[in-house]
Amino acid sequence: MTFYQELQLNQAGSKNLLKKSETLKEKLYHMWVYLVKIAVTMAFCFFFVSIFSILFGNENSIVGVVVLLCLMVFRNADLGIHTGQSTMLLALFFVIMTVCPHLANQFSPVLGMLLNIAALAVLILFGCHNPFMFNQSTLVLGYLLLYGYDVTGKSYQMRLVGMALGAALTCFVFYRNHKNRTYKRNLKDLIQEFDITSSRTKWQICQILCVPIVLCIAELCNMPRAMWAGIAAMSAILPFMEDMHYRVRKRIVGNIAGVICFTVLYFLLPSSIYAYIGILGGIGVGFSAQYGWQAVFNTFGALAIAAETYGLQGAVSLRVIQNVFGVVFALAFCVIFYWFMSKKKESEMTLHAE
């Protein structure tokens, strides 16, 4: 494996190489490559988001984050269908992420929920056909981030330009990287494979319905940062219930641990470098291959931003409440939905038997 190829590995792949190292020299080399990868990735991310902030305003720095996520994921991940059709779908996804979160914020929580359901239905049914590729962690997360950091007026006009640029970049990189691949399926196949009795379709429906409902309830309860609850719910909803239980436990424990660590750093460090706690969290995520540790370090960046608006106590309370509510509601929703579907199937089998 070349130096460049090793740089392309994810955290789990790099740590696997470290475990398999037979000599100290080999282990030190893999560790050095791993550190270089994290440093380069952090520098590139910081530079990329900073460029978007300069071009489109600080209030649209989140656009840089969303575009960066899409670029980093879809340069390798695909949608499982013909490359040309996938590229057109990606362009459509950017339109949805640009327009629908903004419109939903203009409506009442209930009407906004209905629009969010429609928007997520397109993103998930056509962009997340293979749940184990975790495309929802890019598309739905991007949607929720833009929903939570909505802007108006001139800033929204700049957001339109920024998202258009992001769509062009993502589609270009995606098509270039996937144009030589052969796919047996197309868009029509995705529609035909929709099956309410399959684990995949039930998982998709839970994502489509549960995440907007969580957002709506949080907003009706006047809880700020409702997107936190939505993101927590999205991350917890998986095709298999055993995996969901694992995610829920790790999300709750990880966020509480992250809050405690952030609070300790908040009191130990001078106020002039509070903003860099978020960067420290990003580095921690880079070293984390397990979901629980990722949940710990993801908390740093979220709290670093929220503490400026709500103060430490307010930000910490919101973070814990929103995340616990999001994952617990998602688990309860999926348990009830799966139970309902099993009862419906039993009823249908009984009718056929008669």
Side-chain angles (χ1 to χ4, degrees):
M1 183 180 295
T2 65
F3 176 79
Y4 178 77
Q5 289 173 330
E6 191 168 338
L7 284 177
Q8 306 306 306
L9 296 175
N10 58 20
Q11 293 97 324
S14 295
K15 290 190 174 182
N16 188 45
L17 280 179
L18 285 169
K19 289 181 180 179
K20 292 182 178 180
S21 298
E22 297 179 355
T23 65
L24 177 60
K25 182 179 179 180
E26 187 179 355
K27 178 168 289 190
L28 289 174
Y29 172 77
H30 291 315
M31 176 59 73
W32 175 71
V33 176
Y34 188 31
L35 293 174
V36 169
K37 178 181 67 174
I38 292 175
V40 170
T41 301
M42 289 296 299
F44 175 75
C45 292
F46 180 80
F47 176 77
F48 190 92
V49 174
S50 296
I51 289 296
F52 264 75
S53 299
I54 293 170
L55 292 176
F56 307 110
N58 289 330
E59 62 276 13
N60 280 317
S61 62
I62 197 65
V63 174
V65 174
V66 172
V67 172
L68 180 63
L69 280 172
C70 291
L71 281 172
M72 295 182 70
V73 169
F74 290 114
R75 68 192 179 97
N76 294 319
D78 58 44
L79 303 184
I81 61 174
H82 185 271
T83 301
Q85 293 181 351
S86 294
T87 305
M88 290 188 289
L89 279 175
L90 278 178
L92 174 62
F93 295 160
F94 268 86
V95 172
I96 291 172
M97 289 191 292
T98 304
V99 176
C100 293
H102 179 68
L103 287 179
N105 273 296
Q106 314 307 311
F107 298 152
S108 66
V110 175
L111 289 178
M113 177 188 70
L114 297 177
L115 178 57
N116 288 332
I117 289 174
L120 292 189
V122 178
L123 295 179
I124 291 171
L125 291 177
F126 298 108
C128 307
H129 195 64
N130 183 355
F132 299 104
M133 291 189 71
F134 293 100
N135 285 348
Q136 72 277 8
S137 295
T138 302
L139 296 173
V140 180
L141 175 60
Y143 185 96
L144 293 173
L145 288 174
L146 293 167
Y147 180 87
Y149 293 102
D150 189 35
V151 291
T152 57
K154 179 67 173 178
S155 295
Y156 182 66
Q157 294 175 12
M158 297 302 292
R159 176 163 294 190
L160 291 174
V161 179
M163 288 295 286
L165 175 61
L169 286 172
T170 303
C171 289
F172 170 76
V173 171
F174 178 85
Y175 186 80
R176 184 197 64 186
N177 289 8
H178 299 274
K179 63 182 179 180
N180 294 324
R181 297 187 182 182
T182 302
Y183 297 96
K184 296 181 180 180
R185 293 150 66 227
N186 54 34
L187 184 59
K188 183 179 178 181
D189 293 317
L190 294 189
I191 298 173
Q192 292 176 340
E193 290 174 14
F194 182 88
D195 180 6
I196 193 67
T197 63
S198 71
S199 297
R200 175 178 58 213
T201 300
K202 286 189 284 189
W203 165 79
Q204 289 175 318
I205 292 175
C206 283
Q207 284 275 357
I208 292 167
L209 296 178
C210 182
V211 173
I213 291 173
V214 165
L215 286 175
C216 180
I217 294 174
E219 290 173 347
L220 288 173
C221 295
N222 294 317
M223 291 194 292
R225 301 281 173 174
M227 67 171 179
W228 281 353
I231 293 171
M234 176 274 295
S235 70
I237 299 173
L238 296 172
F240 302 108
M241 197 57 63
E242 296 83 1
D243 295 333
M244 277 198 66
H245 283 101
Y246 172 84
R247 280 287 181 100
V248 170
R249 291 195 305 271
K250 293 298 183 179
R251 184 83 184 191
I252 292 175
V253 174
N255 270 273
I256 292 175
V259 163
I260 293 172
C261 293
F262 179 88
T263 303
V264 171
L265 291 173
Y266 194 89
F267 285 108
L268 290 178
L269 299 175
S271 58
S272 58
I273 61 173
Y274 283 167
Y276 295 100
I277 299 179
I279 297 176
L280 178 63
I283 296 172
V285 171
F287 279 104
S288 304
Q290 296 183 350
Y291 179 78
W293 284 107
Q294 291 172 359
V296 172
F297 291 111
N298 275 327
T299 303
F300 286 19
L303 288 178
I305 297 173
E308 297 179 3
T309 304
Y310 305 106
L312 177 63
Q313 184 176 352
V316 165
S317 300
L318 280 174
R319 183 70 182 179
V320 174
I321 292 172
Q322 294 280 34
N323 273 270
V324 172
F325 165 65
V327 294
V328 171
F329 184 91
L331 180 61
F333 182 93
C334 291
V335 167
I336 295 171
F337 180 78
Y338 283 21
W339 173 84
F340 174 78
M341 292 304 299
S342 66
K343 289 296 180 182
K344 182 180 178 182
K345 185 177 181 179
E346 289 176 4
S347 299
E348 292 176 349
M349 292 176 64
T350 302
L351 288 175
H352 286 305
E354 294 175 352

